[in-house]
Amino acid sequence: MLPLSRRTLLKGSALAGAYGLGLGLAGKVSGAFAASDPYLLEAAVTDALIDGKAPTRGMMTYRQPGGIDGAMPPTLRMTRGEAFALTFTNRLDEPTTVHWHGLRIPNGMDGVPFLTQPYIYTGDSFDYGFTPPDAGTFWYHPHCNTLEQMGRGLTGLLIVEDPNDPAFDAEIALNLRDWRLGGNSQFIEQFKPRDAAKTGTFGTVRTANWQVEPQQDLPAGGLVRLRIAATDVTRLYNLTLDGAEALIVALDGQPLPSPMPLEMAIVAPGQRLDLIIRMPDSEGQIVTLSDVRPSAPKSVASFRAVGPSLKRDLGDVPALEPNPAPAPDLSNAQQIPLLLSATAENAARDSICGTLGYSFWAINKVPWPGDSADPMAPLAELKLGQTTIFNLENVTPHAHPIHLHGMNFHVLSSSTRPVLPLISDTYLILPDEKVQLAVVADNPGDWVFHCHVIEHQKTGMTSYLRVV
Ligand code: C2O
Ligand code: CU
């Protein structure tokens, strides 16, 4: 166990808040909410300063009623095993829903229009309530007109705490994403069809917590928990840290069996990375988090050591407690192929939740036509409690972060690289890779799975499973 008290943690956090740019602290809310006292969250249009030049109009954010204008969505905090209730109100002038990415919760709370709930019209509210079974770093976002709504700002962090989580000297959460802004700081078109047919369309302004290269003060010599979520609609990050050593303690919200030194970590859209950083000892020393893809490193955020050294030791960092996970029964598993490919067929259908008007991608040769009241049949029916092995194969020249709702993938093997026995809700499959992913169907309902490059999701690379 780490020789740190809660008191040290609080002192560290207060310090960070006093000197820093509010990284991960702005908009932070805590506590579990009883059904009688729900957390109130709304989606609304706002202006915000993103590129440091002029306010961007027509942004979308989540906020508490009466929340500050132009602030990024609050980081929601809940406790593993405790009921959480949230009343969501739609103050956009289009329908929306809220999806809790990575949470294994009942199907009716999953936020997928038509499949799990009606979309929420302007002015209407929807009560979400669930008990998160896993502790870790997650996030939330809409599942309706997703490219536009996420592109304009609706991506927020969600942290599920475990009362037994080890304490650190400070904690920071970073929401990494881009914006498609023109030279006048205003939104330009969210995508180009020719890019949607390749890697997806990249943003023009990169941010962490809605700020360009923010810097945060942190206690010198301290151990800092850094929670990172890639909520961008397109960008894969290859993250490195200069100026300090760090350990990876969790991926996609799920603790690693033992912490691993960070060299370079790939974090694709939808994925998360939890690090413990050992800050340098001398006041003023800078630690830089950089994205080294594809070539010239680009600074994402930096951290400055302040105060007398706390002289912590990275060697004292324990593994996080594992989350409860159903064990796959591989001897009785059914096998299902999942082929990711490009398509020439155009199946795109108009939808109240938006269509990009194109089909470029398919799963098992079928392009998903879009959200609709009469969705196609599920790709497969899984018997409740049964284990299925998905033989996922990527025959495209692009990487795809494939995300499953409501249950997790257990990574078994890959044709191209050694894999850790990870548990994850979002597996990044590389070009020409074949991978075996086991899923224990322990959560009844219709569960979508899709590529989290949103242009791929919206132009065909989506389907769903039915667990009965
Ligand atoms: Cu992050 Cu279908 O979602
Ligand atoms: Cu994709």
Side-chain angles (χ1 to χ4, degrees):
M1 217 33 203
L2 208 60
L4 299 175
S5 64
R6 278 275 159 188
R7 170 179 296 258
T8 332
L9 165 72
L10 293 174
K11 258 174 35 200
S13 308
L15 182 75
Y19 295 101
L21 293 168
L23 268 182
L25 298 166
K28 173 171 139 183
V29 293
S30 335
F33 296 83
S36 56
D37 178 24
Y39 182 86
L40 302 180
L41 186 77
E42 51 186 45
V45 173
T46 188
D47 293 352
L49 189 64
I50 294 295
D51 65 2
K53 295 180 204 148
T56 300
R57 293 183 294 276
M59 305 258 309
M60 293 178 181
T61 194
Y62 293 112
R63 64 182 186 204
Q64 293 187 274
I68 323 160
D69 251 8
M72 74 163 179
T75 296
L76 300 178
R77 284 192 180 253
M78 355 191 137
T79 305
R80 161 156 92 189
E82 278 182 25
F84 181 83
L86 179 148
T87 297
F88 171 77
T89 303
N90 180 9
R91 307 223 176 275
L92 307 172
D93 50 19
E94 57 179 283
T96 191
T97 58
V98 189
H99 169 60
W100 316 97
H101 182 119
L103 297 196
R104 301 184 295 129
I105 54 177
N107 195 248
M109 296 293 118
D110 193 48
V112 177
F114 303 111
L115 230 47
T116 76
Q117 70 162 94
Y119 41 75
I120 306 161
Y121 278 113
T122 303
D124 283 357
S125 295
F126 189 89
D127 292 327
Y128 289 101
F130 46 77
T131 301
D134 299 326
T137 306
F138 302 94
W139 62 297
Y140 62 105
H141 63 78
H143 229 279
C144 181
N145 202 14
T146 323
L147 184 64
E148 192 71 24
Q149 292 185 10
M150 286 172 61
R152 287 179 180 264
L154 293 182
T155 68
L157 302 184
L158 189 167
I159 293 171
V160 182
E161 291 175 340
D162 181 328
N164 298 326
D165 274 342
F168 297 99
D169 298 305
E171 179 177 307
I172 287 186
L174 286 182
N175 179 351
L176 303 189
R177 54 163 304 156
D178 294 358
W179 307 84
R180 299 258 315 143
L181 304 183
N184 60 358
S185 310
Q186 304 311 310
F187 281 108
I188 53 177
E189 79 291 332
Q190 286 292 353
F191 81 106
K192 298 192 180 123
R194 67 168 183 276
D195 290 336
K198 293 185 211 152
T199 52
T201 312
F202 287 91
T204 59
V205 177
R206 301 181 183 210
T207 60
N209 290 359
W210 289 30
Q211 300 166 71
V212 178
E213 292 179 52
Q215 188 173 97
Q216 170 80 37
D217 287 358
L218 291 170
L223 291 176
V224 178
R225 181 166 186 173
L226 176 58
R227 300 172 183 264
I228 296 172
T231 77
D232 191 57
V233 296
T234 306
R235 188 177 299 283
L236 265 78
Y237 297 82
N238 288 20
L239 297 176
T240 60
L241 202 64
D242 293 312
E245 307 240 291
L247 294 173
I248 303 175
V249 289
L251 290 169
D252 303 332
Q254 304 299 331
L256 298 190
S258 55
M260 254 174 40
L262 169 74
E263 280 157 37
M264 193 265 288
I266 301 181
V267 190
Q271 295 187 312
R272 288 86 66 208
L273 170 70
D274 280 55
L275 300 177
I276 309 300
I277 303 178
R278 203 293 190 173
M279 288 297 290
D281 289 300
S282 315
E283 167 122 357
Q285 281 183 285
I286 305 284
V287 178
T288 307
L289 179 72
S290 301
D291 178 17
V292 297
R293 187 188 185 96
S295 48
K298 193 81 186 71
S299 158
V300 171
S302 60
F303 315 108
R304 193 176 70 111
V306 292
S309 176
L310 298 177
K311 300 212 167 70
R312 305 285 186 217
D313 186 347
L314 212 46
D316 292 337
V317 174
L320 303 177
E321 215 175 275
N323 284 313
D329 174 6
L330 299 179
S331 52
N332 292 307
Q334 62 169 335
Q335 308 250 350
I336 294 183
L338 282 185
L339 180 73
L340 307 178
S341 64
T343 185
E345 182 189 335
N346 198 343
R349 258 196 265 153
D350 272 345
S351 161
I352 188 150
C353 280
T355 172
L356 303 191
Y358 299 88
S359 302
F360 295 124
W361 307 101
I363 296 181
N364 288 356
K365 302 266 166 69
V366 181
W368 177 258
D371 308 298
S372 86
D374 57 336
M376 52 197 229
L379 183 128
E381 278 200 12
L382 313 186
K383 247 191 31 253
L384 190 61
Q386 212 199 339
T387 299
T388 299
I389 297 171
F390 291 95
N391 294 300
L392 184 63
E393 181 174 7
N394 178 9
V395 297
T396 80
H398 305 287
H400 302 283
I402 299 296
H403 171 49
L404 173 64
H405 288 210
M407 292 163 292
N408 280 323
F409 296 125
H410 296 245
V411 182
L412 300 180
S413 70
S414 159
S415 61
T416 55
R417 48 179 164 158
V419 288
L420 294 167
L422 294 177
I423 296 176
S424 165
D425 53 70
T426 310
Y427 184 84
L428 179 69
I429 186 164
L430 301 176
D432 300 317
E433 185 180 359
K434 286 184 207 166
V435 61
Q436 286 192 301
L437 304 172
V439 172
V440 182
D442 64 349
N443 202 352
D446 288 344
W447 300 105
V448 281
F449 65 99
H450 56 84
C451 180
H452 226 290
V453 170
I454 305 297
E455 287 154 77
H456 295 177
Q457 173 192 357
K458 295 292 282 183
T459 59
M461 202 176 278
T462 299
S463 192
Y464 72 104
L465 303 172
R466 175 165 293 162
V467 177
V468 284

